[in-house]
Amino acid sequence: YASAIKLLQELVAPLDGAADPPSLVHAVSYQTLASLYRRLGQPARALPLLKKAQRLYEDSFGPDDLTAALVRVEFGLLFAAEGSNQLAKTYLREARARLVKLLGADHPQAASAGNNLAVVCLARGDVDEAAVLLEDAVQTLRRAGDPSERELGAYLTNMAEVKRRQGKLQDAEADLKEALRLFEQALPPDSPELLRVLEQYAAALKARRGAGAQDVLKRVKALRTHLRR
């Protein structure tokens, strides 16, 4: 992320005190830079940039435009990263409702917002609400015809956690098995994301004393060793 942050900082730095009004290019840069800071665990640096992006988008397109909804998603993710889950839930719920209205319930952006909202619901212990959101998100991607394997795998991994908390261990195992297959197709074999799914799948098999648990645990151990090098 370092090189991307440097480029974006150079782009937006001249705006402070500039006489000319900033453009939409700058709004996108603010939003992207805020997203990078969030991913790096620096929410305090992300928040003021995101507010600038929101103001520019709303000045240009109004508060009901698609860009405003997408910025609300980013706000929700940012508040979730801070641990402010109630605030995150409010923003993500509003963003999802706007995206459904603007794009339709079957749009992948609406599904993504539903998945993000479900993750926050899980963090708050709202398991049944998360289950409804994730079922909708998974089915939306499946109906898309050619869904992103990585994205569908992520949704199924979250769904497996819902099923685990509901005591539906066999269903959780099936979701993780499919998620693992999708990640193996979409990710390099030494991906940390793949390791996390393998760990969850091994735990699910072990909980049910399922066949193949030891083989998966061996893969987990080997991948952990590889990633530590």
Side-chain angles (χ1 to χ4, degrees):
Y1 295 136
S3 58
I5 286 176
K6 186 172 184 288
L7 287 170
L8 289 166
Q9 286 174 332
E10 290 174 354
L11 179 60
V12 300
L15 293 179
D16 294 328
D20 295 331
S23 69
L24 290 176
V25 172
H26 296 113
V28 173
S29 298
Y30 282 135
Q31 182 180 354
T32 306
L33 188 54
S35 178
L36 290 172
Y37 280 135
R38 171 179 61 79
R39 292 167 189 268
L40 289 170
Q42 300 178 32
R45 301 184 75 175
L47 186 57
L49 294 167
L50 201 53
K51 287 179 177 179
K52 288 180 180 180
Q54 181 184 41
R55 186 174 65 251
L56 288 172
Y57 285 138
E58 291 188 355
D59 286 349
S60 298
F61 302 118
D64 297 323
D65 185 73
L66 176 61
T67 53
L70 294 175
V71 167
R72 292 192 82 78
V73 170
E74 192 62 39
F75 270 115
L77 294 173
L78 181 58
F79 291 132
E82 290 181 320
S84 304
N85 288 320
Q86 180 56 54
L87 196 54
K89 185 175 180 179
T90 298
Y91 270 86
L92 288 170
R93 179 182 282 165
E94 291 176 359
R96 180 175 179 267
R98 292 188 187 191
L99 288 167
V100 168
K101 181 179 179 181
L102 291 167
L103 301 174
D106 279 344
H107 196 281
Q109 288 279 14
S112 177
N115 175 69
N116 290 328
L117 178 55
V119 171
V120 172
C121 287
L122 274 174
R124 287 172 43 82
D126 302 330
V127 178
D128 290 341
E129 185 175 356
V132 173
L133 290 162
L134 283 166
E135 182 64 31
D136 182 71
V138 168
Q139 293 308 317
T140 295
L141 276 197
R142 291 195 193 282
R143 286 193 297 269
D146 187 23
S148 161
E149 293 167 336
R150 184 173 187 173
E151 193 168 8
L152 181 55
Y155 294 5
L156 287 167
T157 302
N158 293 333
M159 178 65 87
E161 176 59 19
V162 167
K163 301 282 181 61
R164 185 191 69 79
R165 295 195 195 186
Q166 292 176 328
K168 301 174 182 178
L169 300 184
Q170 187 171 356
D171 291 342
E173 181 185 322
D175 286 338
L176 285 167
K177 184 177 182 179
E178 183 178 1
L180 180 59
R181 177 181 60 79
L182 291 166
F183 280 135
E184 286 174 333
Q185 293 173 357
L187 300 173
D190 58 351
S191 166
E193 196 171 355
L194 182 60
L195 173 60
R196 287 191 292 272
V197 180
L198 278 168
E199 288 171 337
Q200 288 178 258
Y201 186 44
L205 288 171
K206 193 174 180 181
R208 295 189 62 246
R209 298 182 180 179
Q214 291 304 315
D215 289 338
V216 178
L217 284 169
K218 288 178 182 177
R219 285 188 64 187
V220 168
K221 184 177 180 180
L223 186 49
R224 282 177 181 165
T225 302
H226 174 77
L227 290 172
R228 289 195 192 105
R229 291 175 183 169

